[in-house]
Amino acid sequence: MQAVLTELELLLAGLVERDLPGVLVVACSDVETLYLAQVLARLDERSESDLFLTFTDAAASAAALVDAIADNLALQQANLAEQLGPGAALPDLPALARAPAASPATRFRALVDHVLALLPPGDHRLVIALLPSDLPPDFSVELAEPLLRASQHPRVRLVLRDDRARPAHFTSATTCPDEHVLAYSLDLTPQDAVAAAAAAARDPERPAAARIQALLELAWLDLGHGRLADAEQKFSGCAEFHARTASPALAALARAGVGEVQRARGDLARARRTYEAALLEAAATPAFPVTLQIVVALADTCLALGQPIDAEGYYQLADTLAAKLLRPHTRADVQESLGVCHRARGAAVQAVRVWNDAAELCRAIDYPQRLRSILGHLAAHHEPIDRARHRACLEEQATITTRLQEARSC
């Protein structure tokens, strides 16, 4: 698996760093989309000048996907303006980006032009990856194919996902005469990946770092299958190796794996101490995705231990990191838990304020599963004091439940 991901990372780095615009179509499964997003996140961490925007959310149609991207960008602009201080403002999204009569491709290009205008002059590239975890049925016709045919701005690099089992625009990319259009098939078959990782970990000819990376993959597989002793041994070995080789981000990730094992065993107090040690290692690095993962696990552990004040502080840090990393779904998850912390220490008004903000975020990014859960909290709060709001929450919750049931039956 690591060899394939390394190859993919080299391909993406070449696409980003060359002096020409480009479009890369990656054919992969739904699960493999997550690996693709992780590789892009690593490239983002290494780049100090390029702007990476990765969108992995599922959407019912290409138009709905562009709506979600526009909503996400609007939210991020508002957050950035708030961070810049009083009086700071950024231009509104172009009207064309929201025009219902315009095609999804036209609206998306308007958003790209808008973001380009916000970049400072100089050697700053815009890398946009459209990697929906569930491809809309019209994604190829309405969005991918028009983007493949269109000329690209010199500073733009596009990464488009296709379904490896039923490729559509991937086929067009492989036969396209345009040198700026590339195609790559990402195949991480689970059985092959396990065998490859095991072989890599045992191969004495491989560099030590590559063998440890394979061992870390096996540790996560052991954890997923409940082989806790094996997972803990591998995670601990990986953490010690990366600590000795001055790789604090990887050491933190492996140490967090030890915390996951301890949490799976129910040893929450020990897991908290392990996550705190991992957080100290990650804090000294710019590896914000790793830090975010650890902070959320630490906050969840504190909450499970009945320590809402400590959990609240970590959830607030996680909310800040998720905003920085453009991860609105993670923000919604974190804000729901943050409201639970407020309620646990008797700050009901503050809890409701956070839940209302989280509910608006869920509506903006179309995150019905989390919205349904948040509405449950709000309904319980309003029941004894505001029957109208209690009823409104229950009605919206019922509508979402029906929508999700209909989606599962399709």
Side-chain angles (χ1 to χ4, degrees), residues 104-127:
T106 299
R107 294 168 52 210
F108 176 75
R109 283 195 292 269
L111 289 171
V112 172
D113 291 340
H114 174 76
V115 177
L116 281 171
L118 299 178
L119 288 180
D123 187 22
H124 299 279
R125 305 176 187 90
L126 173 61
V127 184

Side-chain angles (χ1 to χ4, degrees), residues 218-219 222-223 227-235 261 265:
L218 292 172
D222 284 339
L223 177 62
R227 298 187 290 267
L228 301 184
D230 291 340
E232 184 173 25
Q233 184 180 30
K234 292 183 178 72
F235 280 130
V261 172
R265 287 178 172 148

Side-chain angles (χ1 to χ4, degrees), residues 27 48 51 59 100 107 116-117 132 148 167 173 180 189 194 206 220 223 235 255 262 306 318 337 345 350:
E48 296 181 356
L51 175 61
R107 294 168 52 210
L116 281 171
L148 286 175
H180 304 323
T189 305
V194 173
R206 285 180 174 268
W220 287 109
L223 177 62
F235 280 130
R255 204 170 306 283
Q262 293 164 345
S337 298
R345 62 177 179 82
Q350 197 172 356

